[in-house]
Amino acid sequence: YNVARCLSLVFNVVFTYVFLGRTTSLLTCSTLLVVMVGFISGVQGEIGLSVLGTAAGVLASLFVSLNSIFTTKVLPMVDNDKSLMLYYNNLNASYLFLPLIFLFE
C-alpha cells in the first residue's frame, strides 16, 4: 500500500495535463521516471506483496490526485475562497451521506 501511494506525483502530472490543459517541464517528467522505477523496484522487492494492498494504494493515489486537480479547477468558481469551497464541500457531503446513514444504520 505505502509503495503504491508514491504514484500520486505521477497521477498529478497526468491529470494536470488531461483536465487543466497545463504542460509539465521535461525535467519534472524525467524525475517522474525515477519515481516510477522506484515504484516498480519497491513492488518487486516486497516479500509479502498483496495485490489488494497494491491496488488500494494505487486507487488511493488516484483519488487523492483527482481531488487535488478538481479542487484547483473549481476554486475560481468561488472566487478562490478556500473557506467557501470547504463550506460547499461539507454541505454536499452532508446531503450525500444522510441517505447512506439511514440506509446502513
Side-chain angles (χ1 to χ4, degrees):
Y1 174 82
N2 288 325
V3 172
R5 288 286 289 127
C6 74
L7 292 178
S8 291
L9 298 170
V10 177
F11 286 135
N12 274 340
V13 170
V14 171
F15 292 146
T16 296
Y17 178 74
V18 170
F19 293 113
L20 300 177
R22 297 183 191 160
T23 57
T24 305
S25 71
L26 188 59
L27 182 61
T28 302
C29 291
S30 62
T31 305
L32 291 177
L33 287 174
V34 174
V35 171
M36 292 171 66
V37 167
F39 169 73
I40 291 168
S41 65
V43 169
Q44 296 290 332
E46 282 290 320
I47 294 172
L49 177 68
S50 165
V51 174
L52 183 61
T54 303
V58 169
L59 284 174
S61 290
L62 181 116
F63 287 118
V64 164
S65 181
L66 283 173
N67 181 49
S68 171
I69 296 301
F70 283 118
T71 298
T72 302
K73 187 174 183 175
V74 173
L75 202 54
M77 293 178 188
V78 291
D79 296 326
N80 291 324
D81 186 354
K82 293 179 184 175
S83 297
L84 186 58
M85 178 78 165
L86 183 63
Y87 172 76
Y88 284 134
N89 191 26
N90 287 336
L91 186 67
N92 287 333
S94 297
Y95 287 131
L96 292 172
F97 282 131
L98 279 175
L100 294 173
I101 290 171
F102 289 119
L103 183 66
F104 291 108
E105 287 296 320

